[in-house]
Amino acid sequence: MTVYVDDVRHSFGRMVMCHMWADSLDELLAMADRIGVARRWLQQPPKASWVHFDISLGKKVTAIEAGAILTDKYGPLEHLATADVASDDPARRARGEAKLAQIATCRSLPRAS
């Protein structure tokens, strides 16, 4: 089980935010407790497309110090696609495999400076 943070930077008022998610809800909540993120800020369906926290860049540093793994902006999509690939549903598995291929293509493209 692992907790992840991404390298996105989304403005929220005067703060800059990124995402934190995990392989399990228990681990995500344990990390939130450990780094001082209130559980009430948990984002999940139906209001969000996946289970995660939006955290400040300061909390991101704290999460990494506590063992979270830094990913790129495709990390959340890769996480969801990997879960689809592990599914018993053939259509979901195929969708996940296609998404992983798209992510690999995007990562291989040169970055704009």
Side-chain angles (χ1 to χ4, degrees), residues 20 28-41 53-56 58-60 62-63 66:
M20 180 175 75
L28 179 60
L29 294 175
M31 179 64 83
D33 293 344
R34 183 172 180 183
I35 68 171
V37 173
R39 289 183 176 206
R40 73 177 175 273
W41 296 113
F53 284 96
D54 290 341
I55 60 171
S56 69
K59 293 294 185 185
K60 173 183 169 179
T62 305

Side-chain angles (χ1 to χ4, degrees), residues 11-15:
S11 295
F12 182 72
R14 294 174 34 196
M15 295 191 309

Side-chain angles (χ1 to χ4, degrees), residues 4 21-24 50 74-84 103:
Y4 308 90
W21 69 97
D23 290 335
S24 72
W50 53 296
Y74 301 110
L77 296 171
E78 182 177 43
H79 179 75
L80 295 172
T82 300
D84 285 344
I103 292 166

Side-chain angles (χ1 to χ4, degrees), residues 38-52:
R39 289 183 176 206
R40 73 177 175 273
W41 296 113
L42 180 67
Q43 311 251 337
Q44 59 186 340
K47 292 185 177 185
S49 58
W50 53 296
V51 178
H52 70 284

Side-chain angles (χ1 to χ4, degrees), residues 87-103:
S87 169
D88 291 334
D89 178 354
R92 187 174 165 200
R93 191 170 35 250
R95 190 171 53 247
E97 290 169 353
K99 183 61 75 176
L100 288 175
Q102 287 178 323
I103 292 166

